[in-house]
Amino acid sequence: MNEHDPARESVLVVDFGAQYAQLIARRVREANVYSEIVPHTISAAEIRTKAPTGIIFSGGPKSVHVDGAPMIDPEVYDLDVPVLGICYGAQLIAHQNDGTVGRNERGEYGRTELSVNEASGVMLDGTPPGQTVWMSHFDAITEMPDGFTVTARTPDSPVAAFENDVRRLYGVQFHPEVGHTDFGQHVIEQFLTEACGADRDWTMASVIDTQIELIQQQVGDSGRVICALSGGVDSAVAAALVHKAVGDRLTCVYVDTGLMRKDESEQIVETFERNQHIELIHVSAAERFFKHLVGVTDPEEKRKAIGEQFIRVFEAAKAQVTDAHFLVQGTLYPDVIESGTSDAAKIKSHHNVGGIPDDIEFELVEPLRALFKDEVRAVGTELGLPDEIVWRQPFPGPGLGVRIIGEVTPERVALLQEADFIFRDELRKAGLEREIWQAFAVLPGVNSVGVMGDERTYADAVVLRAVTSEDAMTADWARLPYELLDTVASRIINEVPGVNRVAYDVTSKPPGTIEWE
């Protein structure tokens, strides 16, 4: 697989269980420095091998005083690498360096007024004496270790920011990564530029150059490559990157699983033949997939069954491509995070990660594994891909198989395809496609009583799901106009036989996931 070029500057975001760890990583990247999320169990020796430009400790839900509180290897402080602690991360720096973290009489939550000391230090240099920050804590630092300077305070936090320029240790009790903190991005950029001395030259153009080099190193001068082309932006950008690296040694294979959206297979073949000019093998395998899904109702088992058959089809296609030992996949960073790490709960097995059988005959090439979705779109634009590909809505690898609760059959897929098409069609007519991260229909496997004409019906319910998001790590349900929802519901009930009820999902992520399975 392809990883970030270790020769480039990077910042490690140490995750202490914070809901904002991914957001911190994104803010660092927005400042043109590559960032990577690592667990708090990482050792100083492991960090040394990564040679980071800087380290950021995230916040976390626990107190440094409770049993089992997440800690960091104390030797990290002796690596001579700048460290910025945020919220719990700031408290941990104080706690592990002989400072005192005590409990306030009350915590600080939400918007809080920050007072910057005259000695504002590196982090708060260039910001006003009074500013609004976002707090979320109960414990507070009450006494700093020797050699540290307090640079800001709030009414309930005597130490809201601190620095030790000699040891290059910095901390802020507030959350600079959230938009509610007035000068939050400025604080992060001050850390990167002034404390870390970062050149801040990580751009999409540099990502392309780095990945092309890494792909060439992995594949070599003569290896042939097959791309797992789904038609979505991830596999499209991955294919374009690999094509730029190896040229006509790439063959794209599109597998029609029978689980795609309405008319999508035809659109994918036409689009890629017209725009990409890459050798394309189109495999119609719907019957095979439906056969292996008979009687399968468990979500994880469905994902694994679809993922395994997907790979087996590629292995069969290998006979048409001489000496193909490499398989390209559009795995993204959120896929890796959500599929579970040593320090993260497994939310679900992503098709690009958890569904791959152990005896796969290909070596994986994953040039997007370190990127978030918006970064992938930016890379796609930089590569000259058309908007119809770059701005295609995310679609799960298992397709409609994870939007049908219970057994997946051709009849249920056909019903869902029609309902889903109507929903997306009305969103397009309303000009809302770009504002919505994902919009789709779900078949929950629930029948309900209805009245159509003068007769009682007992038919399927359909659930509509639309969310807004930046990277799919978190998402909010889309506040669609009632008139639009009314039009969609009316069309589905009138145009899709077997449906007599439509509902709208108003669950955000967390606590829910974007997909239903």
Side-chain angles (χ1 to χ4, degrees), residues 90-126:
Q91 295 173 9
L92 185 63
I93 291 174
H95 179 70
Q96 290 189 307
N97 288 276
D98 298 323
T100 303
V101 178
R103 284 190 172 272
N104 279 348
E105 293 182 2
R106 63 173 187 237
E108 286 182 304
Y109 300 96
R111 289 182 174 85
T112 305
E113 288 304 308
L114 181 79
S115 298
V116 180
N117 296 351
E118 288 186 16
S120 60
V122 171
M123 297 296 98
L124 296 168
D125 186 35

Side-chain angles (χ1 to χ4, degrees), residues 221-437:
D221 297 329
S222 59
R224 289 197 59 80
V225 186
I226 290 180
C227 178
L229 190 64
S230 70
V233 60
D234 304 339
S235 63
V237 174
L241 264 174
V242 174
H243 187 244
K244 202 171 180 66
V246 304
D248 59 8
R249 287 187 284 143
L250 170 68
T251 298
C252 286
V253 180
Y254 169 61
V255 177
D256 183 356
T257 64
L259 304 172
M260 304 299 285
R261 290 170 286 205
K262 183 179 179 181
D263 299 330
E264 195 159 42
S265 291
E266 294 79 3
Q267 293 170 5
I268 289 167
V269 173
E270 192 276 332
T271 297
F272 280 92
E273 286 183 343
R274 173 168 56 86
N275 288 290
Q276 299 285 22
H277 307 294
I278 300 172
E279 182 182 356
L280 178 66
I281 298 174
H282 180 198
V283 183
S284 298
E287 186 176 342
R288 173 176 182 153
F289 279 84
F290 285 123
K291 177 182 177 181
H292 283 86
L293 288 169
V294 171
V296 180
T297 58
D298 179 77
E300 281 295 298
E301 292 304 312
K302 280 197 287 187
R303 284 179 177 270
K304 290 178 180 178
I306 294 168
E308 179 166 354
Q309 293 312 308
F310 199 79
I311 294 297
R312 298 308 174 213
V313 171
F314 273 91
E315 290 175 341
K318 182 180 178 181
Q320 302 180 50
V321 185
T322 306
D323 298 329
H325 300 294
F326 299 91
L327 172 62
V328 179
Q329 289 211 133
T331 307
L332 303 191
Y333 200 29
D335 298 340
V336 178
I337 296 170
E338 289 197 345
S339 289
T341 64
S342 60
D343 195 51
K346 182 176 181 180
I347 299 175
K348 60 178 179 288
S349 294
H350 279 261
H351 170 55
N352 286 342
V353 179
I356 297 175
D358 294 333
D359 59 343
I360 180 174
E361 296 181 1
F362 298 102
E363 180 179 335
L364 293 181
V365 179
E366 298 176 303
L368 310 178
R369 190 179 177 89
L371 301 182
F372 290 100
K373 176 72 77 172
D374 62 322
E375 294 167 339
V376 173
R377 293 194 197 279
V379 167
T381 299
E382 186 77 21
L383 288 168
L385 295 177
D387 283 353
E388 62 194 82
I389 296 175
V390 171
W391 289 98
R392 196 168 209 142
Q393 282 196 0
F395 190 59
L400 299 182
V402 294
R403 294 178 180 174
I404 294 174
I405 312 304
E407 187 177 11
V408 179
T409 66
E411 296 75 21
R412 299 188 78 197
V413 169
L415 185 154
L416 184 57
Q417 283 176 330
E418 294 299 324
D420 179 79
F421 174 80
I422 290 171
F423 187 24
R424 291 183 296 110
D425 185 49
E426 290 299 330
L427 280 172
R428 178 185 58 79
K429 291 177 181 177
L432 295 174
E433 277 185 312
R434 288 284 184 95
E435 297 180 26
I436 303 299
W437 176 263

